[in-house]
Amino acid sequence: MAVLDNQAIPLGLLQEGDALAMAEMDALQVLLDFSLIKGDAELGFFSMHPLQQLSTQNWLRLDGSRLKDWEEHCLVLLSERMPKTVKDEEKRRACSILFPHARIAVSYESRRLDCRSLLLLKISTYEELLGRYQDCYQHAVQAYEESIEAHGKTSKKTLACKMRVAMAVAYLGKRDEASRLLKECQTTVNRFPIRGSEEAKKAKSAYRSASTMFNLLDEDSERSTAAAAFTLLQEALEWYRACSDKRM
C-alpha cells in the first residue's frame, strides 16, 4: 500500500493469487484494527493516510533496498493487471480503478523497462478514452522510447507503442506527423518475413486503409473519420500480433 496511490486501493493488488490468503487477511485486519488503514475487505477497497504512507516509505528506505524492491513489484504487478484494451465495460472499469495506481508506478525508477513501457502504453490507451490527448501523447512517446531500449526498434512491442504515438499525434491535430509515423510503421511491417500469411495480408491491408484515411484528414474532418482510421490501426496491430505470435 505504501507504494500505491493512497486512495481506493483495490483488494486485488494486495493479494498474490485469485483469493486472499489467510496470512494476508490477518495482516489486513491488524492494520484495520490499529486504524493504520481504512476500508473493508468485503467492499474490496482500502485507503491509507498520506502521513502513514510516508512514514512507511521512510521505514522501508532505511532498510536497504526494500523500498526499491516494492516499487518494482508494484510496477510489474500493474503492468500485468491493467487491461491493454478498453473495448468493453469490464475492461474500462478495471482501467478506471487501476489508473491512479499505474500513474504512481511509472513514476518510479526501474530497470524493468519492459514493464514500464507496457504500463505506459496501457496508460496512454486509457487516457485516449478519457480525452486527455496531451497526456496520451506524452505517455505514448515514453512507452516508445523505453520499448526501443527494452526490445529494439523493430519488435512488435515497439511497433505497438509507435502506433499509439501516431494515434495520439493525430488527436492533437498534427496530421502530417501522424501520416509520417504511420508510413514508418508500414515500412516496419513490410520487412517481417511473414508476408505470405493470411494474417499478415490483413494487417497490411488495414495499414493501407488507415494510411489513406489519415491522408484525407484535415481540421474540418469529422471526428468519426479520425476514429475510423484509429480503429483500422488497431485492427492492423491485432492482425500483426496474430501472425508474429505464430512465428515466435
Side-chain angles (χ1 to χ4, degrees), residues 48-135:
M48 191 177 202
H49 193 281
L51 291 178
Q52 180 61 41
Q53 192 176 53
L54 181 61
S55 64
T56 305
Q57 290 172 358
N58 287 334
W59 174 69
L60 289 170
R61 191 175 287 111
L62 291 172
D63 191 8
S65 63
R66 286 190 67 191
L67 179 60
K68 289 291 184 184
D69 291 343
W70 277 109
E71 288 174 348
E72 190 159 289
H73 175 74
C74 170
L75 174 67
V76 173
L77 181 64
L78 280 156
S79 71
E80 295 171 350
R81 299 284 179 87
M82 191 163 180
K84 65 180 180 181
T85 67
V86 288
K87 290 182 178 178
D88 57 61
E89 184 60 36
E90 182 179 352
K91 286 183 172 59
R92 287 193 290 271
R93 172 169 167 73
C95 283
S96 70
I97 292 170
L98 297 177
F99 180 65
H101 306 291
R103 285 179 64 95
I104 293 288
V106 294
S107 71
Y108 298 136
E109 293 182 7
S110 174
R111 292 167 295 179
R112 294 296 306 271
L113 295 182
D114 55 335
C115 293
R116 273 182 57 83
S117 175
L118 176 58
L119 186 54
L120 283 162
L121 180 64
K122 292 179 175 182
I123 288 172
S124 178
T125 300
Y126 185 62
E127 285 170 333
E128 179 193 325
L129 179 69
L130 297 177
R132 299 180 181 179
Y133 300 127
Q134 188 61 47
D135 289 342

Side-chain angles (χ1 to χ4, degrees), residues 1-13:
M1 288 188 186
V3 293
L4 296 167
D5 189 274
N6 69 306
Q7 297 296 314
I9 302 169
L11 183 61
L13 292 180

Side-chain angles (χ1 to χ4, degrees), residues 169-196:
V169 165
Y171 268 127
L172 293 175
K174 301 176 182 178
R175 182 177 64 85
D176 291 342
E177 187 178 350
S179 295
R180 177 184 62 78
L181 288 167
L182 180 58
K183 287 174 183 176
E184 290 176 4
C185 289
Q186 280 185 275
T187 301
T188 301
V189 171
N190 289 336
R191 290 173 180 164
F192 290 117
I194 45 178
R195 60 189 60 182

